[in-house]
Amino acid sequence: MQERFTGSFTQQEPIPEAGIEAAVRVLRHGRLHRYNLAGEEIGETALLEQEFAAFTGARYCLAVASGGYAMATALRAVGVVPGDRVLTNAFTLAPVPGAIAAVGALPVFVGVTEALTIDLDDLARQAGDADVLLLSHMRGHICDMDRLMAICNAAGVRVIEDCAHTMGAHWGNVASGRHGVVGCYSCQTYKHVNSGEGGLLITDDAVVAARAVMLSGSYMLYERHIAAPEAEVFERVKYDTPNISGRMDNLRAAILRPQLAALPRQVERWNERYGALERGLRGTPGLSVIERPENEAFVGSSIQFLLLDWEAAAVGEVLRRCAARGVELKWFGGVEPVGFTSRYDSWRYADAPAMPQTDRILASIVDMRVPLTFSPRDCALIARIIRAEVGAVHQAV
Ligand SMILES: *Cc1c(COP(=O)(O)O)cnc(C)c1O
């Protein structure tokens, strides 16, 4: 009998009890707005910022309404203005070029390699044309950050990191998000911590941090932050930084704090599942697993493999056959954007030139979420199904 998988690819784990209890406490006292505090109380949002700064080793942290908002705020805070060109990955998700468009700037795409990281040779070629790179660690793949920073420093390019898929990951001993001027994270349901919506931004730059706090809509209540710079820094920015409301609230922060404390353990659990999938897929004829560099301590919350130089119809057949056995795969090669999966040439506001080498890689990327509700045995089963169906289609063509 053919094996079938019956789990849900979009089912997360419940919020930990400690988070539920903390959320109920906030609901009972009613002070959900981050600046609505009783007496000397320090709100949940300020505490989350302090804890995330400590978790990443950053001096400053700001919690905001979403990951996309964190990126747009970071771009504004480093001084991007309408009409600027901002470098970013051709292989990423729609909110990344969207954040660039949100500030009136123009996304300029840099290609992707077979390792699914930014093409550093292409970056070196284009680095002279922009002052900022919004670097997306798409699907948790971290490029050679030492070489990337050397290229960007030499060209005077400031780096903002999109760490939506690398919260808890490292390059060498450095937490993802700590190489550039700003690191941005998402707390949306499909990321590594889940408050429905939410975002975090970290930096060591006091002026960038103060601008970000003002931008997020702090009115003049910035002294209620505990992971923000001294009041004196705000004096320098407070009259010319607009309020572009996008705060986090105490309810979300209450849900997130216990999840942040549990993240190192969750990372282990993700990587156990990723390992089971990767072992099961490795060596399948026609399929390439992504080799992870030694310096990269990643979070296996999703897995990708390549069907390099396959006909589109054959990839479609693999997806159809896997779906029939309960395994939901996404493909980055589709001409039309589907669900969360779109590609640089779908973002037509960016007016991107064709990128044939990148197109070859994108056309080969098959992508799968790894929710923690899957067991390692589920993952081994999923790998057997993919292996069998890729094998069947590969043999037939
Ligand atoms: C989810 C995501 C974001 C943005 O996060 P939101 O909180 O949904 O705005 C940014 N970049 C990538 C790669 C993402 O997957």
Side-chain angles (χ1 to χ4, degrees):
M1 204 194 66
Q2 243 192 8
E3 291 183 299
R4 224 189 111 77
F5 179 65
T6 54
S8 162
F9 280 77
T10 51
Q11 181 58 56
Q12 314 304 323
E13 292 192 298
I15 301 301
E17 281 307 316
I20 295 173
E21 282 166 22
V24 169
R25 277 197 297 278
V26 171
L27 291 172
R28 291 226 156 92
H29 68 52
R31 293 184 295 278
L32 273 72
H33 191 286
R34 67 166 298 163
Y35 298 123
N36 184 200
L37 303 169
E40 296 298 293
E41 180 187 17
I42 299 175
E44 292 283 341
T45 310
L47 289 169
L48 172 69
E49 290 165 344
Q50 183 182 49
E51 288 160 5
F52 195 68
F55 180 79
T56 52
R59 289 177 68 181
Y60 309 114
C61 175
L62 173 70
V64 294
S66 74
Y69 184 89
M71 291 187 287
T73 301
L75 291 165
R76 285 196 177 93
V78 304
V80 173
V81 294
D84 282 359
R85 293 156 60 87
V86 174
L87 296 162
T88 194
N89 306 58
F91 173 50
T92 186
L93 290 185
V96 180
I100 296 170
V103 304
L106 193 73
V108 176
F109 296 111
V110 183
V112 63
T113 68
E114 287 183 29
L116 301 190
T117 53
I118 193 164
D119 180 341
L120 294 175
D121 296 326
D122 190 19
L123 177 65
R125 273 192 296 277
Q126 298 200 66
D129 295 342
D131 299 326
V132 173
L133 164 67
L134 178 53
L135 172 67
S136 184
H137 302 296
M138 176 63 173
R139 288 294 185 257
H141 296 278
I142 305 179
C143 72
D144 179 341
M145 288 303 295
D146 306 312
R147 184 167 168 226
L148 177 130
M149 290 311 298
I151 292 168
C152 289
N153 289 338
V157 171
R158 305 232 273 168
V159 179
I160 296 171
E161 295 180 71
D162 164 25
C163 304
H165 305 157
T166 55
M167 184 189 282
H170 294 78
W171 178 259
N173 311 323
V174 181
S176 184
R178 296 285 295 137
H179 290 85
V181 189
V182 186
C184 301
Y185 305 78
S186 169
C187 312
Q188 192 231 78
T189 294
Y190 301 109
K191 309 300 162 79
H192 299 172
V193 290
N194 173 13
S195 57
E197 302 289 353
L200 290 157
L201 174 165
I202 57 167
T203 184
D204 281 354
D205 183 310
V207 170
V208 167
R211 283 204 193 113
V213 169
M214 294 298 302
L215 286 163
S216 76
S218 65
Y219 301 95
M220 292 295 159
L221 302 172
Y222 44 77
E223 289 184 67
R224 296 186 190 174
H225 287 246
I226 50 179
E230 303 290 300
E232 174 271 315
V233 184
F234 286 89
E235 289 303 322
R236 285 151 54 191
V237 305
K238 73 184 198 186
Y239 297 107
D240 53 15
T241 308
N243 173 330
I244 305 179
S245 255
R247 293 170 302 273
M248 180 173 281
D249 58 86
N250 287 332
L251 183 57
R252 289 195 174 118
I255 292 171
L256 289 170
R257 290 179 59 213
Q259 293 184 61
L260 180 61
L263 187 56
R265 174 65 191 130
Q266 299 294 73
V267 171
E268 286 173 17
R269 295 177 61 221
W270 260 308
N271 290 349
E272 214 183 320
R273 286 152 182 77
Y274 185 98
L277 282 160
E278 193 200 65
R279 280 191 301 279
L281 292 177
R282 190 176 281 281
T284 305
L287 175 154
S288 323
V289 298
I290 310 296
E291 302 297 346
R292 312 295 303 236
E294 195 155 308
N295 246 338
E296 182 200 38
F298 63 95
V299 183
S301 55
S302 71
I303 190 164
Q304 293 71 43
F305 58 84
L306 306 185
L307 299 177
L308 262 178
D309 302 323
W310 284 45
E311 295 289 338
V315 179
E317 180 66 7
V318 168
L319 263 61
R320 201 191 54 69
R321 294 172 70 126
C322 287
R325 296 177 66 180
V327 175
E328 251 181 64
L329 302 173
K330 308 281 188 232
W331 182 45
F332 277 88
V335 176
E336 282 303 314
V338 181
F340 287 95
T341 312
S342 63
R343 37 182 286 164
Y344 75 93
D345 48 359
S346 320
W347 309 320
R348 292 183 198 165
Y349 54 84
D351 195 22
M355 306 178 78
Q357 282 174 317
T358 285
D359 291 343
R360 172 175 175 259
I361 310 292
L362 290 175
S364 78
I365 303 174
V366 181
D367 175 42
M368 195 189 101
R369 274 202 186 110
V370 185
L372 285 174
T373 49
F374 292 2
S375 68
R377 288 179 60 140
D378 290 337
C379 292
L381 165 62
I382 290 166
R384 285 197 299 278
I385 292 173
I386 297 172
R387 190 181 190 94
E389 298 305 338
V390 167
V393 177
H394 187 65
Q395 249 185 1
V397 295

